[in-house]
Amino acid sequence: MASASHRRPLRKRRTALVWAVAVAAVGLLVSLVVALRPGGEPDTVRTAAGTSPSASPTTREPTPAPKPSTASPTPRRTPAASASATTPPARRPSPAAPRSSAPRPASGAAPLAGRIKPGTTYDGVATHYDAKDGDGACLYGPSPDLMVAAMNHTDYETSQACGAYILVRAASGASVTVRITNECPLPCAPGQLDLSKEAFAKLAGLSAGRIPITWSLLSPSTSDTVSVRYKSGSSRHWCGIQALGHRNPLARLEVRTGSGWSRLTRTEYNYFLSPDGTGCGGSLRLTDIYGEQLTVDGVAIRPDTVQPTRVQFTRR
C-alpha cells in the first residue's frame, strides 16, 4: 500500500495537466474565432499590411499586361436603328436647293417643245396689225375668228409656233387668248407678239400702240378634231402635208414607209415636205410637243382640200 506522501504529488501533476489542456482548448477556440471573422485575417495582420503608418509597405510584383491577341478581329455589325426611347431618331437630310427658278410645267414635261414651253410665263411687248381675214405665214387660210397673233421671228422657230394657243395678259389685268397664225419678222424681238387689232383691243386702246405683256402656252378645250391638207401641186412623186386644228403645238409629222416611219422636214410656211414622194397618200403619224402620237389612215392626196380626221391630242 502506497503512502500518503506519494499520492499528493500525483494529484498535483494531474491538476497541472488539466489546466494545461484547458488553456490549450481556450487558445484553440480563440484562434478559430479570429480565423472565421470577416476579412479572413486578424486585425494585426491587416494593420501590418497597409493601415499602420509605421509599418513598411508590402512590395507587390506588378501584374503583367495581357498580351494582344493575334487572332483576326470579328467585324462588328452596326445594329439597325430601333424605335426605343434611348435611340435618337435619324436626322433627315435637308432638301437640296432648286437648280432652276423657272416654273415647272403643271401638265407634265414636254420633251419635244422648242423655245415655247408649257408652264412658263414669258415677258414681252404687244403691238397690233391688221389681220384682215386671219390668214398669215402659217398658211391656215381665212378664218372668221380674228383672235389671232403673229409670233416674233425667234420664237416662231421655223413655224413650230403655228397653231399654238397663247394666253396674253396686260399690266392692267386684262387678258385674251389668241392662236398663232402668222410670223412677226425682224426687228420683232423675242417675247414680242403682234396681235390682231381685235385681240389688242381686249387689252388696251389701239392708240397705246405698244404695251408690256406676259404670255404663256395653253392647251384649250375643243370639240374639233385634227384635219390634214395636201399642198397644191402634191402627187405621189412630191407632196407637202399640213396639219390643222391641233390642240397642242405640233412637233413632228411622219409618213409610213416599207421600213417604218420617216420624218418629214418642216418648212417656214408650215408644211412638211416629201421631196421624192415617200409616204405621199399613205398613213401619217402626228406627234405633239408632249410626245403624244396620233396615227391617221386613209388620207387621199387631194391638194388644197381640208380633210378632217377622228383624232385629237389630249388636253394638258
Side-chain angles (χ1 to χ4, degrees), residues 219-284:
S219 180
S221 60
T222 178
S223 58
D224 295 336
T225 60
V226 178
S227 297
V228 174
R229 177 166 56 193
Y230 276 92
K231 196 176 186 311
S232 59
S234 294
S235 68
R236 293 193 176 275
H237 306 288
W238 176 94
C239 67
I241 309 173
Q242 182 187 57
L244 307 87
H246 40 86
R247 172 185 276 125
N248 305 319
L250 192 65
R252 296 175 181 170
L253 191 151
E254 300 166 285
V255 294
R256 191 190 296 277
T257 66
S259 58
W261 293 97
S262 177
R263 182 179 175 181
L264 300 186
T265 301
R266 190 171 201 159
T267 66
E268 290 188 355
Y269 50 88
N270 197 32
Y271 272 89
F272 295 82
L273 298 185
S274 176
D276 58 0
T278 299
C280 295
S283 298
L284 308 177

Side-chain angles (χ1 to χ4, degrees), residues 25-247:
V26 172
L28 178 60
L29 181 61
V30 171
S31 298
L32 290 175
V33 171
V34 171
L36 294 177
R37 290 181 59 188
E41 59 183 6
D43 289 342
T44 55
V45 174
R46 289 204 301 271
T47 301
T51 58
S52 175
S54 60
S56 300
T58 303
T59 303
R60 295 183 180 180
E61 294 184 1
T63 303
K67 295 182 179 180
S69 174
T70 58
S72 299
T74 302
R76 178 179 295 179
R77 294 183 179 179
T78 303
S82 64
S84 65
T86 58
T87 304
R91 295 181 62 187
R92 295 182 178 179
S94 300
R99 296 183 178 180
S100 173
S101 59
R104 295 181 179 180
S107 55
L112 301 180
R115 290 181 57 85
I116 302 174
K117 304 181 187 303
T120 302
T121 299
Y122 298 89
D123 295 319
V125 295
T127 52
H128 60 78
Y129 74 107
D130 185 2
K132 297 181 180 179
D133 59 4
D135 198 7
C138 296
L139 296 186
Y140 286 133
S143 171
D145 182 8
L146 294 182
M147 292 296 108
V148 296
M151 180 64 69
N152 69 83
H153 173 76
T154 303
D155 296 324
Y156 183 77
E157 205 171 4
T158 315
S159 78
Q160 185 160 323
C162 287
Y165 288 86
I166 302 296
L167 174 63
V168 187
R169 294 184 181 278
S172 63
S175 64
V176 63
T177 298
V178 296
R179 183 169 62 102
I180 302 301
T181 62
N182 209 346
E183 177 187 9
C184 183
L186 296 174
C188 278
Q192 182 174 347
L193 291 176
D194 203 19
L195 306 179
S196 67
K197 290 181 180 180
E198 291 78 4
F200 189 95
K202 299 286 185 180
L203 304 178
L206 296 181
S207 60
R210 181 185 183 96
I211 60 173
I213 58 167
T214 59
W215 55 272
S216 56
L217 183 67
L218 283 183
S219 180
S221 60
T222 178
S223 58
D224 295 336
T225 60
V226 178
S227 297
V228 174
R229 177 166 56 193
Y230 276 92
K231 196 176 186 311
S232 59
S234 294
S235 68
R236 293 193 176 275
H237 306 288
W238 176 94
C239 67
I241 309 173
Q242 182 187 57
L244 307 87
H246 40 86
R247 172 185 276 125

